Amino acid sequence: MTIKQRYIATATLVIVSLVGSVCSFFTINAGKKEVYPFYYWKLYSQPAGWELTHSGYRIYATNDVTAWNRIPNYGRATFDRDETLYFLNPIANAIEEGNVTDEDLTKLKIWCGYLVPEFEHHKIVKETFNPREIIDQPEKFLTEDVYVVD
Amino acid sequence: MWSTKFLQAKEGESKTARFNQHLSDCFNFYYGDLMVKLVTFGFLIYQGILYVQLTDRPKEIFGPMNYFDSLLMPSFPATWVFYPVLAVIALGLYLSFKRPKVYWLRIGVFVGLMWVNAFKWSYGFFSHVGHILLIYHFLSMFLNSQIPSDEKDMATKSRSIALVYFGIFVTYSMSGIWKLLGLAYKIVFTPGVINWLHPDAARVNASVGFRDWDMDMSAISWVYDIPVFWQFMVLVMLFLQVFSFVGAVVRPLRLWFGIGNILFHVHNIIFIMIHFYLSPLMLLVVFFPYAFFMKGKLGAQHIAVEDVFFDKASNTYRRVYANGDKDEFSGFEARRQRLLDEKPFWAGWLFFPGVALVASWLGRTSTSKA
């Protein structure tokens, strides 16, 4: 390969990247997967919590269904904090939007049993809070059951 | 269309100046590429350790997240597949260093890395934290890291290098443009709510980040009481991100956009609990000014500057090279080229987009007053 050919090939790759990223924008907006996984950079286009009300999902677990324990998002050796959220959020969102698949629900059940084995029953709870207030009042949030896993 | 003449000579720049720039581009790329290989080797070791952790997870929850992954890694890889593949990629890295002309070795390494990357991100979410590593290997797969001996080849190669840099920087530009659009939209259509320039924007944004991790933020929440600072930083960051792509073509800015984006990542790690480690490390090794710190290694090819003259009356700056060739600049360009020789590190600031424009405007008003 001559240096000129290498240049042309590199320029082609850059164009492919840009086109791929534009395509990813459309496939994601259409609810499909990314076609080109590195370029879609719509992150934090607003500050998180800008509406002054923000929601997050947590696992609640218990052996006795009359009193549930909130399982905080702490890092585990095989599931760190981000991985925990990344796993839970898409499935919980799908449940709320009513388009969750049976496959996802099976995954969720296996996952809850794996992550929180010390309790028999698990449910997914949506917590809604004001990001300004939660800093000083970590207990001040509303809860809403999203899905009882088992 | 392929002979697009970006990275053209500046007015007053001599052939020798161009030659030196191409030489240091190729030199920087050679060492940058070597360092990327070392980082990649570390990445492979990390994946080897990660495999042990991830085998503990139930196999049923594994599932590919995008079209590449469905193709490359439909289910959790067996140990006897995973480790030999890691070893083959590591061997490919080494061979591509030993035989830099063989482009298919680099293509092989890239495909291998795509495969390895699919492995961690098949649990409900495909993260982009390793994107710069992958983009670098993707965009540079046809490049030979060795410094060409021919002058013309060196010029072509330095354009190829600029393209790779462009591909990396443009991801930051896109991210910045989305924020800019989001901000403009909020200001125009919903002026009352918290946008990125609101005094509380940094605080609520951080609060959500900390809450996602169930971490207590009250100990550092005082930093968000500092007035104006965060809004100012948002503007600085927006500027740095949106214009990052300029760093590909304006050489003195490569370092600064590199540093700017590294600081952005470090800020996110400390203040918002958004942890990207590989990306800032990649920015560091790719945009590190090796030629500047290793002048001795630049070799006999580099043509030294013999003498410089600055004429204050006509505001002209002249550089005379050992081979007799001369650069001659006037006006604001003369000043920033002079600073580039005197304080090569800080001079980059004068090359940020808009600075020349402001300077020429200031120059005009001051001369009209006189």
Side-chain angles (χ1 to χ4, degrees):
Chain A
M1 239 184 167
T2 66
I3 293 214
K4 179 100 184 173
Q5 283 167 336
R6 287 175 194 269
Y7 168 69
I8 294 168
T10 308
T12 311
L13 293 181
V14 171
I15 292 166
V16 166
S17 285
L18 291 171
V19 171
S21 79
V22 172
C23 292
S24 284
F25 173 73
F26 288 110
T27 54
I28 288 186
N29 278 2
K32 298 214 172 71
K33 296 171 177 178
E34 286 173 291
V35 267
Y36 182 75
F38 322 121
Y39 260 94
Y40 182 66
W41 282 108
K42 193 174 176 237
L43 293 166
Y44 289 83
S45 52
Q46 301 301 337
W50 64 272
E51 292 167 294
L52 287 181
T53 153
H54 193 81
S55 302
Y57 302 104
R58 289 291 181 277
I59 302 174
Y60 279 55
T62 187
N63 289 325
D64 157 22
V65 286
T66 55
W68 291 84
N69 307 291
R70 177 183 194 267
I71 309 297
N73 181 18
Y74 61 88
R76 294 161 174 87
T78 65
F79 251 104
D80 69 27
R81 288 177 162 105
D82 274 341
E83 290 167 332
T84 306
L85 289 179
Y86 294 158
F87 189 89
L88 180 57
N89 288 351
I91 300 181
N93 276 328
I95 293 172
E96 288 212 293
E97 283 162 21
N99 53 19
V100 72
T101 61
D102 288 344
E103 196 194 337
D104 279 346
L105 290 178
T106 316
K107 277 187 183 176
L108 183 64
K109 189 176 170 172
I110 296 169
W111 180 69
C112 285
Y114 168 71
L115 211 67
V116 190
E118 58 275 29
F119 294 109
E120 202 183 326
H121 305 286
H122 306 87
K123 67 176 179 180
I124 305 304
V125 172
K126 182 179 176 177
E127 298 179 347
T128 305
F129 58 90
N130 178 331
R132 251 188 207 143
E133 294 170 356
I134 201 87
I135 302 170
D136 301 314
Q137 296 157 275
E139 304 299 326
K140 196 176 173 188
F141 56 88
L142 300 171
T143 60
E144 183 193 334
D145 285 5
V146 173
Y147 179 70
V148 178
V149 179
D150 47 19
Chain B
M1 76 176 273
W2 296 113
S3 62
T4 324
K5 289 277 185 276
F6 67 91
L7 286 180
Q8 264 187 322
K10 268 200 162 78
E11 206 186 313
E13 227 167 28
S14 66
K15 247 185 135 179
T16 306
R18 307 284 296 151
F19 172 79
N20 278 344
Q21 285 164 5
H22 297 151
L23 178 67
S24 65
D25 281 354
C26 294
F27 184 89
N28 283 336
F29 183 77
Y30 174 82
Y31 281 98
D33 194 66
L34 183 63
M35 291 303 288
V36 168
K37 285 190 164 77
L38 292 176
V39 169
T40 309
F41 190 70
F43 174 77
L44 292 175
I45 292 174
Y46 168 73
Q47 297 294 326
I49 297 167
L50 193 68
Y51 185 86
V52 181
Q53 291 174 7
L54 298 200
T55 30
D56 185 68
R57 296 182 180 181
K59 301 284 173 286
E60 297 88 340
I61 63 170
F62 185 94
M65 291 309 298
N66 59 43
Y67 302 111
F68 282 105
D69 297 2
S70 330
L71 204 70
L72 291 170
M73 196 186 278
S75 61
F76 193 81
T79 315
W80 65 270
V81 176
F82 192 77
Y83 285 101
V85 172
L86 281 193
V88 169
I89 301 169
L91 183 70
L93 267 179
Y94 175 73
L95 288 177
S96 70
F97 171 65
K98 278 281 165 201
R99 302 192 175 276
K101 270 188 201 153
V102 190
Y103 63 86
W104 56 261
L105 278 171
R106 292 182 75 107
I107 297 177
V109 167
F110 168 69
V111 174
L113 289 173
M114 282 290 284
W115 185 82
V116 173
N117 192 58
F119 154 73
K120 183 176 177 177
W121 302 115
S122 291
Y123 293 92
F125 180 79
F126 188 92
S127 166
H128 291 153
V129 292
H131 79 290
I132 293 188
L133 183 88
L134 294 172
I135 292 175
Y136 180 90
H137 283 281
F138 176 64
L139 296 175
S140 73
M141 67 189 175
F142 290 109
L143 296 188
N144 170 354
S145 64
Q146 272 179 326
I147 302 170
S149 48
D150 179 71
E151 219 176 298
K152 224 180 141 206
D153 284 349
M154 227 185 253
T156 311
K157 170 108 182 261
S158 86
R159 285 214 294 275
S160 305
I161 295 168
L163 282 172
V164 175
Y165 292 169
F166 175 78
I168 293 173
F169 276 139
V170 83
T171 60
Y172 289 95
S173 294
M174 284 196 218
S175 165
I177 288 166
W178 276 118
K179 288 189 188 76
L180 200 64
L181 291 177
L183 179 65
Y185 182 88
K186 279 276 134 71
I187 289 174
V188 174
F189 294 104
T190 48
V193 306
I194 294 184
N195 58 45
W196 270 119
L197 287 180
H198 188 281
D200 249 1
R203 183 197 309 274
V204 295
N205 187 54
S207 165
V208 169
F210 275 77
R211 180 67 181 187
D212 277 346
W213 280 29
D214 276 326
M215 280 171 70
D216 180 18
M217 177 182 144
S218 50
I220 68 150
S221 79
W222 63 268
V223 301
Y224 300 100
D225 295 335
I226 306 169
V228 191
F229 174 74
W230 295 96
Q231 285 127 303
F232 174 72
M233 287 311 284
V234 163
L235 289 176
V236 170
M237 193 200 67
L238 270 179
F239 177 83
L240 275 173
Q241 289 208 319
V242 170
F243 288 105
S244 278
F245 73 96
V246 177
V249 274
V250 182
R251 290 184 181 82
L253 280 180
R254 283 178 185 166
L255 173 71
W256 286 104
F257 279 117
I259 291 175
N261 287 315
I262 289 173
L263 290 179
F264 164 70
H265 282 299
V266 171
H267 158 268
N268 290 349
I269 291 171
I270 300 172
F271 293 109
I272 331 183
M273 298 292 121
I274 296 176
H275 289 219
F276 278 51
Y277 293 104
L278 192 55
S279 294
L281 181 62
M282 281 295 293
L283 289 175
L284 179 70
V285 301
V286 171
F287 297 108
F288 188 85
Y290 300 95
F292 177 70
F293 286 102
M294 298 159 79
K295 278 217 174 76
K297 280 211 164 188
L298 211 48
Q301 276 183 296
H302 181 77
I303 300 158
V305 177
E306 198 107 285
D307 218 341
V308 292
F309 306 94
F310 181 65
D311 180 22
K312 221 173 175 182
S314 62
N315 205 1
T316 51
Y317 184 62
R318 204 182 323 141
R319 225 182 250 136
V320 182
Y321 292 92
N323 62 2
D325 220 352
K326 290 184 195 97
D327 297 339
E328 196 167 323
F329 302 100
S330 59
F332 177 64
E333 194 59 41
R335 289 180 181 272
R336 70 177 175 187
Q337 290 290 336
R338 185 185 175 200
L339 194 68
L340 202 54
D341 286 338
E342 285 169 4
K343 292 195 163 42
F345 185 69
W346 295 107
W349 284 56
L350 293 183
F351 290 83
F352 273 117
V355 174
L357 202 74
V358 172
S360 77
W361 179 73
L362 285 177
R364 207 170 305 145
T365 47
S366 67
T367 41
S368 64
K369 266 181 208 152

